[in-house]
Amino acid sequence: MNFIATKSLSSIRLASIGLIPNKTSIRLSSISLFLNKASIRLSSIGLIPNKTSIRLSSICLLSITSVVFAQKKDENIGTEVVNVVKPYSPTISDAFKVKETPSFDDDETSKKENIQYNIFSFPVASTFTPSKGRAANVDKTAAEKYFKNYITLAAGNFGTINAELFVTENVSNTDYFGGMLRHNSTQGGVKDVQLDDKLYNTSLDLTYGSRTRALTWNADAGYQHQVYNWYGIYPNFFNQATIDGINSQQTYQNLYLGGRLSLGDSFLKESTLKFNRFWDAYGSAENHFVVQPNLEFDIVSEKINIGIVLDYISGSFDNSFNTLTSFKYGYTNVGIQPSIQLQKDDLSVNAGVGIFYSAAQELGESKFFIYPQVIGSYKVVGDLMIAYAGVEGTLKQNAYKEFVDQNFFLSPTIFVAPTDQKYDVFFGLKGKLANAVSYNMRASYLNEDNKPLFKNNGYEELVGNEGYRFGNSFGVAYDNIKTFSFFGELNADFSKNVSFGINGTFSSYTSDIEAEAWNLPSLNLGANLDVNITPKWYAGAKVFFVGERKDFVHYAASIPVPADATVTLESYFDVNAHIGYKYSDRLNFFLKGNNLANQDYQRWLNFRVQGLQVMAGASYKFDF
């Protein structure tokens, strides 16, 4: 600042005394003007105060005026150029700090304008009149009419006939009566069979019951008549004279009485009773009586269940396989199975124990058994994934009738005894992959003593000529079997018109006495599909696969074949399908096909099945 002031005063003195010419004074004026502009800029950026800039401007303006007047006073003074150059170097004290939040003196910046909106509307003529809304109608199919009774008749190749009649009627508001008549027969026709292979199966079941809020009961009675043939001899092995002398037919008959009782608000829940009288054409007979009352109590917030079992069986056979000696069997099994149900959040446990006593009336020993019976489940992810596990054991009463239901070709010379199922340890996962897709996976280890195995009887030349002594019948061998198995299944209802299911079981067996676990397959697979093609047409299919099995062959030494040998039965699969047409609410037509692959497989050793089977029929529904 001092420099600018001194410079202006110097120019005034020089001009006034005529020491510098007019041009020089003009240059100095230019310099002063330049400095004046510089001072304005410094003031605008805050490096010098406003008052200082005003003084500088006044001094510069006086300098310019003095120089002009000086030039006019003396125009003969010699010229001399004096260039004084000195850059301006401001110091910190020459500037002031800029405020972080500047103040505004302008009132217009803070003034808010109030904006008002005005809508100018005018009526428009219209003939539209809105109607009152209502819910849209939902399209729904008419409910299929329910009929209480039906009759089915069908016939097919191999002389197959199938008939069913089911009737039920309400006797009163609480009582009802029902009955079922079934018949299934075929005239045989198995490939390369030398003996008669026809079969008949006819049964009649009747029931009468009553349902009220306080009491529900029903009484059952029935009769079954079955005819089968031991046709499973080696083809072309025996001469024709021997074959002609074989009576291969066996007849089974069963008469049963039973009932069920349930008291609604009582501690006595559902209790069952059943009596079977089973006999055959070779003088074998069996009586089987079972009573199972079930008690249930609520103690505090827990539920106590007590199951009671009274199982009595007795029977006799006129002959044993190797001798003509008759023998009897009989057991009375009494058991009590208390359990408690525990529920907490997603965890559910049913913990119990089974206590049994088995008393042998004829052959065998009387024993006392205790079994664990604990099952638990936990919802890992709601219903999507449920983990479950448990250990169960029980005393299972075997019976001649139950053996025949599994294998029709038993000889009437077997021994019947109960099975000690020590424990079955299992764990698995079940749940849903989607709303319509469910799954179940289970691994288990089963330990059984005295487990029955179906084993071929073989041939004894000099024992007798009964129809079951030609290597064409089976006996029952008991062994201690340990079974490790894995089971899995998947079921899907893709829509109300399409459903699909698949399942499989893999098993591994360990035996103690027998060389193999006879006739137990290591692999079982199955699948089913049901489709409603249209409201009138429907169809379905079932496929199953059975893996290899082992069996034992024994022949007398005089026969030129290996005396003893273990044979392997090949695995097989079967495809069954059906298609139907709903002619009306009452009348349906259907077409069924079994063994569509036309496989000549062996279900049991030397017992082959019929080939492709086709059957057509109709079903009619009605009311009285």
Side-chain angles (χ1 to χ4, degrees), residues 342-348 377-379:
L342 304 175
Q343 183 79 34
K344 185 176 181 181
D345 298 332
D346 294 331
L347 178 64
S348 177
S377 64
Y378 180 75
K379 294 183 178 181

Side-chain angles (χ1 to χ4, degrees), residues 380-560:
V380 181
V381 188
D383 292 334
L384 300 180
M385 180 181 292
I386 301 174
Y388 64 93
V391 54
E392 290 184 302
T394 189
L395 184 65
K396 181 180 179 182
Q397 183 76 281
N398 295 310
Y400 182 32
K401 180 186 182 301
E402 293 180 359
F403 289 156
V404 170
D405 291 340
Q406 300 175 55
N407 187 342
F408 307 122
F409 312 110
L410 293 178
S411 65
T413 60
I414 65 173
F415 181 72
V416 178
T419 296
D420 175 17
Q421 182 179 302
K422 293 183 176 299
Y423 54 84
D424 181 12
V425 181
F426 61 89
F427 65 91
L429 290 174
K430 63 181 180 180
K432 294 182 178 181
L433 298 177
N435 289 334
V437 181
S438 63
Y439 66 93
N440 185 14
M441 297 181 295
R442 168 177 168 150
S444 66
Y445 180 78
L446 176 61
N447 185 2
E448 297 175 290
D449 282 359
N450 218 36
K451 179 180 177 64
L453 304 172
F454 297 124
K455 182 180 179 181
N456 189 273
N457 282 323
Y459 173 67
E460 295 290 346
E461 184 178 18
L462 303 176
V463 173
N465 62 351
E466 288 82 3
Y468 54 85
R469 296 186 183 275
F470 296 86
N472 57 341
S473 67
F474 296 84
V476 176
Y478 292 90
D479 198 357
N480 301 329
I481 303 295
K482 297 178 178 61
T483 305
F484 172 78
S485 62
F486 180 80
F487 168 79
E489 68 174 347
L490 184 69
N491 295 303
D493 293 328
F494 297 108
S495 66
K496 65 179 182 179
N497 296 322
V498 181
S499 62
F500 172 77
I502 186 171
N503 63 81
T505 303
F506 170 79
S507 302
S508 177
Y509 309 97
T510 303
S511 59
D512 289 345
I513 303 172
E514 301 292 332
E516 299 286 347
W518 308 117
N519 284 293
L520 294 181
S522 58
L523 183 62
N524 283 283
L525 298 175
N528 63 275
L529 176 66
D530 293 297
V531 180
N532 291 325
I533 304 172
T534 68
K536 292 288 187 179
W537 289 92
Y538 63 93
K542 291 183 179 181
V543 181
F544 60 88
F545 174 87
V546 178
E548 294 182 346
R549 291 93 62 217
K550 301 286 186 179
D551 207 340
F552 183 75
V553 176
H554 169 76
Y555 282 91
S558 61
I559 301 299

Side-chain angles (χ1 to χ4, degrees), residues 552-572:
F552 183 75
V553 176
H554 169 76
Y555 282 91
S558 61
I559 301 299
V561 295
D564 298 297
T566 298
V567 295
T568 300
L569 303 180
E570 294 181 355
S571 60
Y572 65 89

Side-chain angles (χ1 to χ4, degrees), residues 254-268:
N254 181 63
L255 176 67
Y256 76 88
L257 299 172
R260 181 180 293 105
L261 175 65
S262 178
L263 300 179
D265 298 329
S266 172
F267 63 89
L268 180 61

Side-chain angles (χ1 to χ4, degrees), residues 42-277:
L42 292 176
S43 173
S44 63
I45 62 175
L47 294 178
I48 58 177
N50 290 333
K51 294 181 179 181
T52 306
S53 62
I54 294 173
R55 294 190 186 97
L56 290 177
S57 299
S58 301
I59 296 171
C60 291
L61 185 59
L62 292 174
S63 300
I64 293 172
T65 305
S66 301
V67 171
V68 172
F69 283 114
Q71 290 292 334
K72 289 181 179 181
K73 185 176 181 179
D74 191 358
E75 295 180 356
N76 296 322
I77 298 175
T79 61
E80 182 179 357
V81 178
V82 178
N83 293 323
V84 179
V85 178
K86 180 177 176 57
Y88 173 67
S89 298
T91 62
I92 295 177
S93 59
D94 296 330
F96 295 94
K97 293 183 180 180
V98 180
K99 296 182 180 180
E100 294 182 358
T101 304
S103 59
F104 296 95
D105 295 333
D106 192 356
D107 294 336
E108 297 297 328
T109 58
S110 59
K111 186 177 181 180
K112 296 182 180 179
E113 295 289 341
N114 293 324
I115 302 176
Q116 295 181 353
Y117 298 93
N118 294 321
I119 299 175
F120 299 95
S121 60
F122 55 91
V124 178
S126 176
T127 59
F128 172 73
T129 302
S131 60
K132 184 181 295 184
R134 64 177 182 177
N137 295 326
V138 178
D139 296 332
K140 59 181 180 180
T141 58
E144 186 176 354
K145 186 176 180 180
Y146 173 76
F147 296 93
K148 295 181 179 180
N149 316 299
Y150 75 88
I151 183 172
T152 299
L153 294 173
N157 60 337
F158 299 108
T160 302
I161 297 176
N162 180 262
E164 288 186 8
L165 173 63
F166 176 79
V167 294
T168 182
E169 189 65 24
N170 293 328
V171 179
S172 66
N173 292 333
T174 58
D175 295 0
Y176 62 92
F177 169 80
M180 169 73 81
L181 176 64
R182 293 189 182 99
H183 174 79
N184 184 27
S185 63
T186 178
Q187 299 304 312
V190 178
K191 185 179 180 181
D192 298 329
V193 170
Q194 296 175 282
L195 298 176
D196 193 0
D197 59 339
K198 64 183 178 182
L199 65 88
Y200 298 89
N201 189 344
T202 304
S203 64
L204 174 65
D205 301 285
L206 303 173
T207 184
Y208 187 93
S210 175
R211 296 190 186 97
T212 63
R213 179 174 298 179
L215 176 65
T216 299
W217 65 272
N218 67 277
D220 304 326
Y223 172 76
Q224 185 177 24
H225 182 269
Q226 303 175 81
V227 175
Y228 293 94
N229 283 270
W230 293 295
Y231 64 86
I233 61 174
Y234 277 108
N236 304 318
F237 184 80
F238 298 99
N239 58 44
Q240 191 61 42
T242 302
I243 294 173
D244 292 340
I246 298 176
N247 180 13
S248 62
Q249 181 174 304
Q250 169 67 299
T251 302
Y252 300 110
Q253 299 182 71
N254 181 63
L255 176 67
Y256 76 88
L257 299 172
R260 181 180 293 105
L261 175 65
S262 178
L263 300 179
D265 298 329
S266 172
F267 63 89
L268 180 61
K269 298 304 178 182
E270 184 175 276
S271 301
T272 60
L273 178 150
K274 190 170 186 180
F275 170 76
N276 275 290
R277 170 69 177 179

Side-chain angles (χ1 to χ4, degrees), residues 14 162 167 190 308 318 340 404 590:
L14 291 175
N162 180 262
V167 294
V190 178
I308 301 173
D318 284 352
I340 182 172
V404 170
F590 60 86

Side-chain angles (χ1 to χ4, degrees), residues 281-354:
Y282 283 81
S284 308
E286 178 182 79
N287 297 316
H288 192 191
F289 179 76
V290 181
V291 179
Q292 292 182 301
N294 189 19
L295 310 179
E296 189 173 284
F297 306 91
D298 288 331
I299 299 179
V300 189
S301 60
E302 308 299 340
K303 184 174 292 186
I304 307 298
N305 186 281
I306 300 177
I308 301 173
V309 178
L310 174 60
D311 195 329
Y312 168 82
I313 191 169
S314 66
S316 63
F317 293 100
D318 284 352
N319 300 308
S320 63
F321 188 80
N322 294 322
T323 66
L324 300 178
T325 305
S326 63
F327 65 94
K328 298 180 179 181
Y329 60 92
Y331 292 90
T332 301
N333 298 336
V334 180
I336 181 171
Q337 303 174 91
S339 63
I340 182 172
Q341 296 181 6
L342 304 175
Q343 183 79 34
K344 185 176 181 181
D345 298 332
D346 294 331
L347 178 64
S348 177
V349 177
N350 191 331
V353 63

